[in-house]
Amino acid sequence: MKVLAVVSIKGGVGKTASAVNLAYEASRTGARVLVWDLDAQGSATYLLRVRQRLAGGGAHGLVAAGGELGRHVRATTHPGLHVLPGDLSLRFLDRELDAAGKPRRRVGALLRPLRASYDLAVIDCPPGASLAIESVLRAADALLVPVVPTTLAMRTLEQFEHIVATRRRPPTLLAHVSMLDRRKTLQRRTVEELAARPGTLATVVPNASVVERMGPERAPVAVFAPRSVAAAAYERLWQELAVQLWP
Ligand SMILES: Nc1ncnc2c1ncn2[C@@H]1O[C@H](COP(=O)(O)OP(=O)(O)OP(=O)(O)O)[C@@H](O)[C@H]1O
Ligand SMILES: [Mg+2]
C-alpha cells in the first residue's frame, strides 16, 4: 500500500477537492483505495456521502484503538473506494496522539494493519503543520501540496519544503497548481515560477465552478461532469501521481 497525503499549511487551497477526485480516479483504475479524512471538518467524508461520525469514542477511540482502524472504515457508493470518516472530535487529535505516546509514529502504526487491504491510502489533512501532520509526514510515501499561485502561497510552500527537508527520510514532495485564474497576470507568472521548481506536476487544476458543485452533488467531479475540463485535469493529475508512486 502506498500512502499519499494531501497536505498544505494553507487552508482552502483545494486539498479536499484533490484528495476526493484523485482517490476516485485511482479507484476507477481498479485500485483499492482508502480515503482517510483526518480533518475535523469532515469535508471529504461529506463529499463521499458517508456519515461524519467516528464510531467508538471519536479521535480518542481512533488513536487508542491500536490496530483496529478498520472498524471505522465505511464503503462509499463508488466501487473500491472506502472512507475512514472524520468528525469534530478530530480537533483534539494532537492531544490524543500525544497522550497515546510516540505521536510521530502513530499515523503509520495505525495504518499498518490496513496495508494488505488497500493499494492506496489518501490522507486528507487539515490545514496547518501540527503534530498530526508531522505524524503524517512520517507515514507518507508522497505528499501532494495544492498551491493557489500567489506570492504568499509560494512562500508558504517554501516553509513547508523546509519542514519536510529536515526529516531524516523525507517523503517525495509534489505540488500542483490549484484554482488557477488565467485572467490574472500575476497568477500566470507565479505558475511559471512554480513550474520551474522540481516536484511541481505539469497538470494544472483551473478555478472552475464545477469543482464547487462537488458540495451540492456530494460526488467527485467526474461522476456528474465527466466531460469538464476539471474532470480531465484530475484524471491527468492522477496519471502523473501514479508514475511517482509506482515508478
Ligand atoms: N479548482 C477549483 N475551482 C473552484 N473552486 C474550488 C476548486 N477547488 C476547490 N474549490 C472550492 O474552494 C473551497 C475550498 O476547497 P477545499 O475544501 O478542497 O480546500 P481545502 O484546502 O481542503 O480546505 P481546508 O483547508 O479548509 O481543508 C471549496 O468551496 C471548494 O469547492
Ligand atoms: Mg479540506
Side-chain angles (χ1 to χ4, degrees):
M1 182 181 80
K2 296 288 183 176
V3 179
L4 171 70
V6 187
V7 57
S8 155
I9 298 177
K10 277 198 179 299
V13 295
K15 291 182 294 296
T16 299
S18 284
V20 168
N21 286 303
L22 292 168
Y24 176 72
E25 289 302 326
S27 72
R28 281 215 293 184
T29 67
R32 300 165 299 165
V33 184
L34 174 70
V35 172
W36 186 355
D37 189 348
L38 212 52
D39 190 342
Q41 297 176 90
S43 308
T45 309
Y46 179 83
L47 293 177
L48 290 168
R49 294 179 183 251
V50 168
R51 188 166 170 225
Q52 290 160 278
R53 187 171 183 279
L54 277 165
H60 178 74
L62 185 79
V63 170
E68 290 179 62
L69 209 60
R71 73 195 169 108
H72 298 283
V73 173
R74 299 287 175 264
T76 71
T77 50
H78 314 290
L81 184 56
H82 292 176
V83 177
L84 181 53
D87 71 15
L88 268 179
S89 69
L90 289 173
R91 69 192 189 280
F92 301 126
L93 184 59
D94 279 359
R95 196 182 70 190
E96 294 298 342
L97 287 171
D98 211 25
K102 298 204 171 101
R104 285 177 178 77
R105 291 170 190 264
R106 186 64 55 173
V107 166
L110 285 168
L111 276 172
R112 208 161 293 134
L114 296 178
R115 295 194 81 92
S117 310
Y118 296 97
D119 303 302
L120 174 72
V122 178
I123 306 181
D124 185 24
C125 294
S130 59
L131 182 60
I133 302 292
E134 286 283 332
S135 196
V136 167
L137 296 188
R138 198 170 172 134
D141 297 289
L143 311 170
L144 180 66
V145 185
V147 182
V148 182
T150 64
T151 309
L152 294 184
M154 292 293 285
R155 294 196 63 240
T156 308
L157 177 61
E158 278 162 25
Q159 290 168 332
F160 188 65
E161 276 174 337
H162 174 74
I163 292 172
V164 175
T166 54
R167 309 202 56 80
R168 201 147 40 93
R169 270 171 299 164
T172 308
L173 177 60
L174 303 166
H176 81 81
V177 176
S178 182
M179 295 192 214
L180 170 65
D181 185 345
R182 286 194 195 278
R183 292 169 305 182
K184 294 180 176 163
T185 313
L186 200 53
Q187 284 211 4
R188 292 201 308 268
R189 237 181 260 155
T190 311
V191 167
E192 281 168 28
E193 215 181 300
L194 253 172
R197 303 172 76 89
T200 301
L201 300 171
T203 306
V204 166
V205 177
N207 191 311
S209 46
V210 75
V211 181
E212 285 177 51
R213 266 177 56 206
M214 289 174 71
E217 299 279 354
R218 295 186 73 182
V221 170
V223 169
F224 61 87
R227 284 179 223 291
S228 60
V229 172
Y234 286 118
E235 190 182 355
R236 273 203 313 277
L237 195 58
W238 170 247
Q239 287 163 357
E240 276 194 88
L241 270 170
V243 172
Q244 297 282 338
L245 285 167
W246 293 278

